Amino acid sequence: MDIMHVFVTPLALMGIMGGVFGVLLAIASIVFMVHQDERIGLIRAALPGANCGGCGYPGCDGYASGVVNYGAAVNKCSVGGAPVAEKIAAIMGVDAGESVPMRAFLKCKGTCEASPRQLVYDGIKDCRSAATIPGGSPNACPFGCIGLGTCVSVCNFGALSMGADGLPKVDADKCVACGACVAACPKGIFTLIPKAADVVVACNSHWKGPMVKSVCSAGCIGCTLCVRQCPVQAIEMQNDLAVIDQSKCIKCKKCAEKCPAKCIKTGEKVEVLAKSA
């Protein structure tokens, strides 16, 4: 009896207490249940489920909740594009607004030939790791592409690949403008531009002309010739780097014709259309 009293009774009491607490928790879960707006589920079902974070929210669930609970724009899903935006707008009873198709763009022409590597990097094959070494990167230009392919590894859509010239290439047909490459690049040389953009500055350097030329033959030298040639004032210099306002650009390409460094690329729209055909 002593053994029964010492072991069995406490176990029985624990079992009873566990059952009581379980019932109380079940009641509490019903009493304090937060009912989810059914529109969240409908929006989640309309989303492609890529969970890329391109909308600025932590996955599709977060975006669906953001639209319903916090008034997020209905056209922020870059993967789904206009068709998904229209579905979400219909669920929310609002206008979808205009969705401008975007794509990733590399602001660099610093190939192995144009911008020679100044040292041999033998560490972790990751641009973020290489960017921490003294000097900033293996290549001579501290603003240029490191070329270890971190952007390729974070792209979940197969839109990026490393080219033979040491620079990543963007497949405009596959790119959904999720922004993963933009966030991962330690040099900030990836940006999102409209797919229809036809004139772009492929440089990220903020050095002045002589210093740029000492490390890269394809870099912007800040001469301002492009600014003076633009008939609609769509180009301005920002910290010695030419920047094109795509909303103003009329694609006359006069800037590219006059650029002595040839760092203004044209034909981007043609490339996109060719891939989509």
Side-chain angles (χ1 to χ4, degrees), residues 49-112:
N51 291 311
C52 62
C55 59
Y57 287 84
C60 295
D61 288 335
Y63 177 48
S65 177
V67 171
V68 175
N69 296 325
Y70 304 105
V74 299
N75 59 359
K76 294 186 72 67
C77 179
S78 57
V79 180
V84 168
E86 291 175 1
K87 291 179 182 178
I88 298 175
I91 294 170
M92 295 299 295
V94 298
D95 185 84
E98 183 182 2
S99 295
V100 179
M102 306 288 282
R103 78 178 188 93
F105 173 69
L106 182 76
K107 298 185 295 180
C108 183
K109 289 183 68 178
T111 62
C112 296

Side-chain angles (χ1 to χ4, degrees), residues 3-275:
I3 295 177
M4 292 288 290
H5 179 73
V6 173
F7 292 102
V8 177
T9 302
L11 290 174
L13 289 174
M14 290 177 64
I16 294 171
M17 292 175 64
V20 172
F21 286 131
V23 172
L24 291 175
L25 287 172
I27 295 172
S29 66
I30 296 173
V31 172
F32 297 105
M33 179 186 298
V34 177
H35 295 280
Q36 177 176 283
D37 192 314
E38 63 177 8
R39 293 177 299 176
I40 294 177
L42 293 173
I43 292 174
R44 180 62 184 87
L47 292 169
N51 291 311
C52 62
C55 59
Y57 287 84
C60 295
D61 288 335
Y63 177 48
S65 177
V67 171
V68 175
N69 296 325
Y70 304 105
V74 299
N75 59 359
K76 294 186 72 67
C77 179
S78 57
V79 180
V84 168
E86 291 175 1
K87 291 179 182 178
I88 298 175
I91 294 170
M92 295 299 295
V94 298
D95 185 84
E98 183 182 2
S99 295
V100 179
M102 306 288 282
R103 78 178 188 93
F105 173 69
L106 182 76
K107 298 185 295 180
C108 183
K109 289 183 68 178
T111 62
C112 296
E113 182 179 351
S115 182
R117 277 35 181 171
Q118 62 184 355
L119 55 85
V120 177
Y121 176 72
D122 194 30
I124 301 172
K125 194 175 181 181
D126 183 271
C127 296
R128 293 164 294 193
S129 176
T132 64
I133 64 175
S137 66
N139 52 321
C141 177
F143 303 97
C145 177
I146 296 175
L148 295 179
T150 297
C151 53
V152 177
S153 66
V154 301
C155 179
N156 293 323
F157 302 93
L160 286 169
S161 60
M162 291 304 299
D165 59 3
L167 295 178
K169 308 300 178 185
V170 180
D171 186 329
D173 193 39
K174 295 180 179 179
C175 182
V176 298
C178 69
C181 55
V182 178
C185 180
K187 295 295 182 178
I189 58 175
F190 267 104
T191 187
L192 297 180
I193 63 172
K195 281 196 174 184
D198 200 34
V199 184
V200 287
V201 178
C203 185
N204 190 49
S205 176
H206 293 287
W207 277 356
K208 294 186 180 298
M211 294 184 68
V212 172
K213 282 301 181 184
S214 69
V215 295
C216 181
S217 61
C220 174
I221 58 176
C223 66
T224 73
L225 271 176
C226 55
V227 176
R228 286 174 277 165
Q229 288 296 317
C230 183
V232 292
Q233 291 77 51
I235 309 175
E236 65 176 3
M237 300 302 296
Q238 294 182 7
N239 196 11
D240 294 311
L241 177 65
V243 178
I244 299 176
D245 184 340
Q246 294 296 336
S247 67
K248 295 180 180 179
C249 180
I250 59 174
K251 305 176 178 62
C252 66
K253 303 181 182 179
K254 291 181 179 179
C255 56
E257 294 171 2
K258 290 293 183 179
C259 178
K262 302 303 178 185
C263 65
I264 299 181
K265 294 180 64 176
T266 62
E268 295 296 315
K269 182 179 179 181
V270 175
E271 291 177 14
V272 172
L273 293 177
K275 288 177 178 292

